[in-house]
Amino acid sequence: MVAYVPVRWVAPLLYGVVLTGGLYSAVADLDDGPGPTAWRTAGFVTAIGALFALEAVGRRRPASRVPLLLARCALIGAVVLLDASGLSQVLFVLVPFTAYFAFGRTAALALAALCLAGLLTRYVLTAPGWYREQEYVADLLMLGVGLVLAIAMAAVGVGEQRARLELEAYAARVAELSAATERNRLARDIHDSLGHHLTAMSVQLEMAADFQNLDPDAARRALEEARRSVRLALGDVRQSVRALRDEATRPTLSAALAALAQDGAARPRVTVEVSGDEDGYGVAELTALYRAAQEAVTNARRHARASRVTVVARLAGDTARLEVTDDGRGFAPDADAAGFGLLGMRERVHLVAGSVDVDSGPGAGTRVTVTVPRGTRPTSPVAGEAVT
């Protein structure tokens, strides 16, 4: 069970009130109890001082719950016996009050009942006919009211602390999920942007190596295109840094898709067609469409050995539809569904409540269809993403 911290000012305040009342009773010569007044007063002050010290020990060693409770009960009993003013009976409310924080409601209610029973037993043994005396009855009733209020106050304190702990746990969980989301986003960005350009560079460098002796001009052009891909990759990195710093501007999907057809690769030939109005589509939706197209083109270039890729984007009033079709060798979607590219594509599209459909087969080419609904936050980037 979690041990909560009692409201720290309650006990010292009551100790101070009882100490003031007891000393006033002694100075005004109102102490008519048994034994020398000086000795009773000294013992009373010592017991109150021990209670103050006990509170300090409890703050330093909150784990010692049972010894602290027993010591508090013993000291309060000593104070009540040594105080002739009768005011010290109010300290009984501290027993269930502090027990509520350490042991819970059931223990607090049981100790409250024991406090009432103890005071009632004292009256029965020391004051015959007490129930006919207004002072005794009033003291008993006031103690009962004080116990009820103390338990209610402890319940409020425990509830507040429990809510705070739950909020802290929730905040930690949110931070953990946010970190995981950011890791996944960065992984998708690395795969979708840098992976795309690195694939293009690999193809161009292989071409340069193959044509170095056969066709030096073709090899030179391939090296130039590889350098261009390097510049594009650096641009993607800078764009990602600006996005992380909240400096990203609203993307233009048509321009981003057009860049796919001009990325310098000799094969496949990429044609792009975009229609419709981008207004009303948020950064997250446009990014999902662009990254899906980029991944599909990269797959066609790297795996499908396609000679032609067609990218068609239709942005309607309520949904946007993207189709990327190639004439490559195709594949079995179920067998490759676990690839990082398709996985990242599906994750990104699902984040904006969209859907991804892959239609392919060996020797039949591939068609990737992405449908994204029109978002409700037209200018709000998600996790710092932006179309590059």
Side-chain angles (χ1 to χ4, degrees):
M1 175 182 176
V2 177
Y4 299 97
V5 180
V7 183
R8 293 183 175 180
W9 56 266
V10 174
L13 178 62
L14 290 180
Y15 297 154
V17 171
V18 170
L19 178 61
T20 302
L23 291 177
Y24 175 79
S25 177
V27 171
D29 200 18
L30 301 177
D31 188 355
D32 56 355
T37 301
W39 286 103
R40 285 170 54 84
T41 303
F44 168 77
V45 172
T46 301
I48 291 291
L51 285 172
F52 276 109
L54 190 65
E55 293 301 319
V57 172
R59 285 193 291 269
R60 290 196 301 267
R61 301 181 61 184
S64 305
R65 295 181 293 176
V66 175
L68 288 173
L69 177 63
L70 296 177
R72 183 177 290 108
C73 291
L75 289 173
I76 289 175
V79 170
V80 171
L81 291 176
L82 294 171
D83 180 26
S85 68
L87 182 61
S88 57
Q89 292 179 2
V90 72
L91 297 181
F92 281 123
V93 302
L94 292 177
V95 176
F97 177 77
T98 55
Y100 200 116
F101 290 91
F103 303 103
R105 181 176 57 186
T106 301
L109 291 174
L111 289 172
L114 287 176
C115 289
L116 282 175
L119 183 60
L120 182 60
T121 301
R122 177 188 174 189
Y123 287 166
V124 170
L125 296 178
T126 62
W130 64 270
Y131 48 86
R132 297 190 185 93
E133 297 291 336
Q134 183 178 1
E135 179 183 357
Y136 292 120
V137 175
D139 287 346
L140 188 63
L141 291 177
M142 290 302 296
L143 178 61
V145 172
L147 290 171
V148 171
L149 293 177
I151 292 176
M153 185 176 179
V156 172
V158 168
E160 186 273 335
Q161 294 182 40
R162 182 183 295 116
R164 186 172 66 251
L165 291 175
E166 291 176 353
L167 182 60
E168 291 174 355
Y170 176 75
R173 179 61 176 163
V174 168
E176 180 182 351
L177 292 176
S178 298
T181 301
E182 184 65 9
R183 287 194 298 269
N184 291 335
R185 187 191 70 81
L186 291 175
R188 288 194 300 268
D189 277 354
I190 291 172
H191 180 277
D192 294 345
S193 60
L194 294 180
H196 171 79
H197 295 304
L198 290 175
T199 297
M201 281 185 277
S202 176
V203 171
Q204 297 299 337
L205 291 175
E206 289 178 1
M207 182 180 298
D210 293 339
F211 286 89
Q212 182 177 5
N213 297 322
L214 298 177
D215 191 345
D217 289 338
R220 180 182 54 79
R221 288 194 299 271
L223 287 175
E224 288 297 328
E225 294 300 339
R227 293 190 186 98
R228 182 174 180 275
S229 295
V230 171
R231 290 193 296 270
L232 292 174
L234 290 174
D236 275 358
V237 171
R238 295 190 184 99
Q239 180 69 26
S240 297
V241 172
R242 285 195 297 269
L244 290 174
R245 293 181 176 179
D246 294 330
E247 298 175 2
T249 58
R250 180 173 173 78
T252 301
L253 180 64
S254 57
L257 291 179
L260 293 177
Q262 303 170 1
D263 61 1
R267 290 179 54 131
R269 178 172 176 268
V270 180
T271 58
V272 176
E273 179 184 349
V274 181
S275 63
D277 190 357
E278 297 181 18
D279 290 341
Y281 287 92
V283 173
E285 289 81 14
L286 298 179
T287 299
L289 292 172
Y290 170 72
R291 293 303 190 190
Q294 187 181 49
E295 175 62 24
V297 172
T298 299
N299 286 341
R301 174 174 294 127
R302 186 173 185 179
H303 303 296
R305 299 178 183 174
S307 61
R308 186 174 60 183
V309 179
T310 302
V311 180
V312 179
R314 310 288 187 195
L315 288 85
D318 53 350
T319 58
R321 181 182 178 89
L322 172 76
E323 285 191 3
V324 182
T325 306
D326 69 62
D327 60 355
R329 59 182 181 176
F331 66 99
D334 293 340
D336 290 0
F340 290 116
L342 286 177
L343 178 62
M345 181 193 302
R346 293 182 189 278
E347 287 179 350
R348 194 186 297 274
V349 173
H350 289 166
L351 286 175
V352 293
S355 62
V356 177
D357 179 65
V358 180
D359 182 16
S360 183
T366 301
R367 177 186 290 110
V368 177
T369 304
V370 177
T371 303
V372 172
R374 183 173 178 172
T376 57
R377 302 176 302 277
T379 61
S380 175
V382 173
E385 291 184 316
V387 173
T388 56

